[in-house]
Amino acid sequence: QVQLVESGGGLVQAGGSLRLSCTASGSISNTGTMGWYRQAPGKQRELVATITSGTSTEYADSVKGRFTVSRDNTKKMVSLEMNNLKPEDTAVYYCNANLQSLYSGHWSNYWGQGTQVTVSS
């Protein structure tokens, strides 16, 4: 069974830092674009940052210069380093990845279960 498992959320004061990690497990042969999305209460889920298999990155304007997305292909892992956190960064953060099945060769898109990030003022 293919799944994405996230870790690293928590409570932090404004100006602080957190690091989120997400590891893909199961019968996977390749990982494509991986990234992070977030959803605050009463709002739609939005893109935070993505990174392609060629390590090209994309960031939401609101996090540019504060967040850094990276990946480790050997570990099938994507991470998000979050610095200078603000109360408006408070949300549930979801890992997302395009993964290739080891058996069928088909690519599918997967979501993690979400991890809460709360930034106090």
Side-chain angles (χ1 to χ4, degrees), residues 6 39 41-43 88 104 106:
E6 300 143 340
Q39 187 167 20
K43 295 188 177 182
E88 50 264 43
S104 69
H106 294 157

Side-chain angles (χ1 to χ4, degrees), residues 79-101:
S79 299
L80 185 68
E81 184 74 31
M82 305 185 291
N83 297 315
N84 190 22
L85 282 159
K86 304 176 181 180
E88 50 264 43
D89 294 318
T90 295
V92 177
Y93 284 69
Y94 295 92
C95 176
N96 179 268
N98 292 322
L99 306 173
Q100 185 179 31
S101 168

Side-chain angles (χ1 to χ4, degrees), residues 7-121:
S7 62
L11 172 65
V12 65
Q13 288 187 333
S17 299
L18 281 175
R19 182 180 178 86
L20 305 182
S21 294
C22 170
T23 302
S25 64
S27 302
I28 304 163
S29 58
N30 285 299
T31 53
T33 297
M34 306 181 80
W36 295 90
Y37 291 72
R38 67 186 181 188
Q39 187 167 20
K43 295 188 177 182
Q44 290 188 330
R45 190 173 297 188
E46 63 176 4
L47 179 147
V48 176
T50 60
I51 183 167
T52 68
S53 56
T55 67
S56 294
T57 58
E58 179 182 0
Y59 293 94
D61 288 343
S62 60
V63 307
K64 284 181 180 177
R66 300 187 297 122
F67 291 11
T68 303
V69 63
S70 60
R71 63 188 290 160
D72 184 334
N73 291 330
T74 60
K75 296 181 180 179
K76 299 183 177 64
M77 177 187 292
V78 61
S79 299
L80 185 68
E81 184 74 31
M82 305 185 291
N83 297 315
N84 190 22
L85 282 159
K86 304 176 181 180
E88 50 264 43
D89 294 318
T90 295
V92 177
Y93 284 69
Y94 295 92
C95 176
N96 179 268
N98 292 322
L99 306 173
Q100 185 179 31
S101 168
L102 178 65
Y103 301 119
S104 69
H106 294 157
W107 288 89
S108 299
N109 187 259
Y110 294 87
W111 290 93
Q113 79 282 2
T115 185
Q116 178 70 46
V117 171
T118 303
V119 184
S120 63
S121 58

